[in-house]
Amino acid sequence: MTAGSAERWEIRAFDGHPFHIHINPFLVCPNKSNKEPNFPHWRDTMWVQLEDGPRDVLMNPRKFTGQFVLHCHKLNHEDEGMMELVEICDPGDEECLCLGTDADGACISQAGCKPDDLQCQFAKAATDAYPAPPAPDLELCGP
């Protein structure tokens, strides 16, 4: 991520997970779940489960740059790979934002899975199997 930018993330679960992010709180977009308020609200932890559908959150790191962790609060899930290190970079910091450069000198983005990252590829295949419904049409949490 780039400091000063915003990203919309979709959080999904096949069973119940307490999803937690360190350092930067996130804005939870409302959905039909009865576990969260039906208006946008800030959290650092939220409950995610299949019955509630995908949950959209807005990440908006303003000044913080560096690394932080997001993870499931169930220790056995965390130990099995449900923990991820995220880095927020200053705009233009190619050493931070890029995995390297291609033959033409263009930045190789960190978005997507690396060819040898089997956990990432499995997670992508699993979530791609369950397409997301249309996003809610809200001012802050809209498309």
Side-chain angles (χ1 to χ4, degrees), residues 15-68:
D15 60 355
H17 299 275
F19 174 76
H20 177 69
I21 290 182
H22 290 239
I23 306 293
N24 288 295
F26 51 89
L27 186 68
V28 178
C29 299
N31 77 351
K32 294 179 182 166
S33 167
N34 63 359
K35 295 170 189 67
E36 295 281 345
N38 63 354
F39 52 85
H41 57 284
W42 292 99
R43 295 265 193 223
D44 68 358
T45 305
M46 74 175 189
W47 184 257
V48 185
Q49 67 184 38
L50 181 64
E51 292 82 10
D52 296 333
R55 301 302 312 267
D56 288 332
V57 300
L58 297 180
M59 294 294 299
N60 188 10
R62 298 196 183 265
K63 297 179 183 176
F64 173 81
T65 57
Q67 298 179 336
F68 65 95

Side-chain angles (χ1 to χ4, degrees), residues 44-97:
D44 68 358
T45 305
M46 74 175 189
W47 184 257
V48 185
Q49 67 184 38
L50 181 64
E51 292 82 10
D52 296 333
R55 301 302 312 267
D56 288 332
V57 300
L58 297 180
M59 294 294 299
N60 188 10
R62 298 196 183 265
K63 297 179 183 176
F64 173 81
T65 57
Q67 298 179 336
F68 65 95
V69 176
L70 57 89
H71 61 96
C72 177
H73 260 206
K74 291 182 179 178
L75 292 180
N76 60 326
H77 291 180
E78 185 179 280
D79 291 345
E80 294 296 321
M82 293 183 76
M83 178 182 278
E84 185 71 33
L85 184 64
V86 178
E87 186 163 15
I88 299 174
C89 306
D90 282 321
D93 183 351
E94 287 197 12
E95 186 175 329
C96 180
L97 291 169

